[in-house]
Amino acid sequence: MSWNESTQMEGGATEYSFSLTVGDHQVPGVYWAPAGGGDRLVLLGHGGTTHKKVEYIVEVAQMLVAKGIAAMAIDGPGHGDRVTDRWEHEPQRFGEMWEAGGGTDTMLGDWQAALDFVEAEHGARPTGWWGLSMGTMMGLPVTARESRIRVALLGLMGTWGPNADDLQALAPQVKCPVRFLVQWDDEVVPRESCLTLFGLLGSERKTLHANPGLHAAVPSFEVAQSVAYLDEHLR
Amino acid sequence: MSWNESTQMEGGATEYSFSLTVGDHQVPGVYWAPAGGGDRLVLLGHGGTTHKKVEYIVEVAQMLVAKGIAAMAIDGPGHGDRVTDRWEHEPQRFGEMWEAGGGTDTMLGDWQAALDFVEAEHGARPTGWWGLSMGTMMGLPVTARESRIRVALLGLMGTWGPNADDLQALAPQVKCPVRFLVQWDDEVVPRESCLTLFGLLGSERKTLHANPGLHAAVPSFEVAQSVAYLDEHLR
């Protein structure tokens, strides 16, 4: 367990990288601290075949720190710095990457260890989740199992894909407020399966936002509003 | 065509009632002017078996005038002050009320006459629509046919009900930004038909917001956000 290098960002924020040993594997992560440290935290789950510092994750982290909210991301199972040569540049083998990395159970342990690690240094704070697509394959189980998550931005995922059974089983155990994004013309995850997963969520307060467009074409206004949503619910 | 009595509201706003002669019938209406008159306008379409001054319409009008936006409502076909004794207190005969009042074509003429009347006094201003359920049975055709409508808040309606064919035919002609509300457990208008109608809308920028609950249980935060949406798009 160690903090590695840090980088100054605009506006007085700082980006730190870290690496954890969890069981038999390493979990590489990144932590963004706003000026002043931040009295709230959001965990950022990246999408399939990407990694903890893919462009849109860094953009959301920047939007969060601009609101005084700290953010943290780790590489998901079989992804990012945990990827083996074998999978690189083979997005069609996403399911194999996920399974080779240990799937849902390993992923749950990784995120809980990372949250423990960050809390050990910075203390427990109101905490939320932001993650779409594979970010929901990770975030829905984490939100269901981890009472420290108070609000979640999920979506672009359905009762579909390599951990469909886990998502279906765990969705009713999600009880916190959720905003769930759907892309109406999603060519990766069938729309109907996304609507089904939204319907299964156990939250009393859950809202689905659907926009036209393909899987990765979430409108920028919806991303900005998703950060505002977490900001509002973590106050 | 005449303006009738006016009533002072809180915050310096004024409510005016009016009555128009359109073809062979009278159209009773109400106009809410914010202090200063308002440089934008929203048309408010009430729901089935209610009327132009039902409680939630007045509440939305109050939220609009608080933002400096004028509002206007008329009684829909067969509704409010246009209702005949025969239909009163018979919500299950909603379809008959609508048809007896003249249906989609009469309704279109009524709203255009009312907008002409208000513009004759106050001038043309950026104009939007707010209407759910029967408020969308009216608002979708008005928005499709009337280029003066720049943005619309619609929902709680599908390819369903007494003017389903009109809605289906006109939806692709709606081109302005639309926010479309759906109640996930709608017991009146089948959810699937609402999703279908949203899919048919011709707008490039359209967003569906769905929340759990029955037809009339739209969350208050969603109503407040709907007014903010119109406010933003009419600037």
Side-chain angles (χ1 to χ4, degrees), chain B residues 2-143:
Chain B
S2 64
W3 291 96
N4 302 326
E5 73 271 24
S6 69
T7 313
Q8 292 302 308
M9 300 165 70
E10 286 182 24
T14 311
E15 177 186 301
Y16 301 89
S17 63
F18 61 83
S19 185
L20 308 177
T21 304
V22 183
D24 61 355
H25 61 283
Q26 288 297 115
V27 176
V30 57
Y31 177 72
W32 293 271
D39 55 1
R40 298 169 290 163
L41 173 67
V42 169
L43 312 188
L44 300 174
H46 66 74
T49 76
T50 73
H51 58 86
K52 64 187 176 304
K53 285 184 68 176
V54 69
E55 193 177 2
Y56 75 90
I57 290 290
V58 174
E59 285 171 2
V60 171
Q62 286 168 336
M63 289 186 231
L64 288 163
V65 297
K67 292 179 184 289
I69 303 171
M72 188 259 279
I74 61 174
D75 284 324
H79 281 69
D81 294 333
R82 299 166 65 179
V83 78
T84 63
D85 289 343
R86 212 151 57 94
W87 314 112
E88 223 159 4
H89 311 302
E90 299 190 50
Q92 72 279 17
R93 302 180 73 176
F94 163 66
E96 289 177 73
M97 294 167 70
W98 171 264
E99 295 298 348
T104 303
D105 287 341
T106 299
M107 177 279 296
L108 272 167
D110 293 348
W111 280 102
Q112 288 175 322
L115 182 53
D116 290 345
F117 177 70
V118 168
E119 287 194 346
E121 173 121 352
H122 298 282
R125 293 167 286 181
T127 299
W129 181 277
W130 190 102
L132 299 170
S133 196
M134 187 177 118
T136 286
M137 288 172 54
M138 299 191 285
L140 190 152
V142 170
T143 303

Side-chain angles (χ1 to χ4, degrees), chain A residues 129-207:
Chain A
W129 181 277
W130 190 102
L132 300 170
S133 196
M134 187 178 118
T136 285
M137 288 172 53
M138 300 191 285
L140 190 152
V142 170
T143 303
R145 288 283 180 80
E146 181 51 75
S147 61
R148 288 179 284 184
I149 306 293
R150 298 190 185 185
V151 56
L153 186 289
L154 302 172
L156 309 192
M157 185 46 55
T159 50
W160 176 93
N163 73 339
D165 290 348
D166 296 327
L167 297 178
Q168 190 144 352
L170 290 168
Q173 297 175 36
V174 173
K175 300 295 187 189
C176 68
V178 172
R179 180 174 290 178
F180 192 94
L181 306 190
V182 169
Q183 287 293 100
W184 204 250
D185 310 297
D186 197 318
E187 82 287 14
V188 178
V189 184
R191 183 206 304 159
E192 201 54 51
S193 79
C194 297
L195 301 178
T196 299
L197 187 58
F198 170 74
L200 289 171
L201 291 168
S203 309
E204 269 183 44
R205 184 156 172 172
K206 57 181 180 180
T207 304

Side-chain angles (χ1 to χ4, degrees), chain A residues 207-221:
Chain A
T207 304
L208 182 148
H209 285 195
N211 291 284
L214 298 176
H215 186 71
V218 176
S220 56
F221 73 84

Side-chain angles (χ1 to χ4, degrees), chain B residues 167-190:
Chain B
L167 297 178
Q168 190 145 353
L170 290 168
Q173 297 176 37
V174 173
K175 300 295 186 190
C176 69
V178 172
R179 181 175 290 179
F180 192 93
L181 305 190
V182 169
Q183 286 294 98
W184 204 250
D185 310 296
D186 197 317
E187 82 287 14
V188 178
V189 183

Side-chain angles (χ1 to χ4, degrees), chain A residues 5 34 38 53 55 72 77 126 140 142 182:
Chain A
E5 74 271 24
K53 285 184 67 176
E55 193 177 1
M72 187 258 278
L140 190 152
V142 170
V182 169

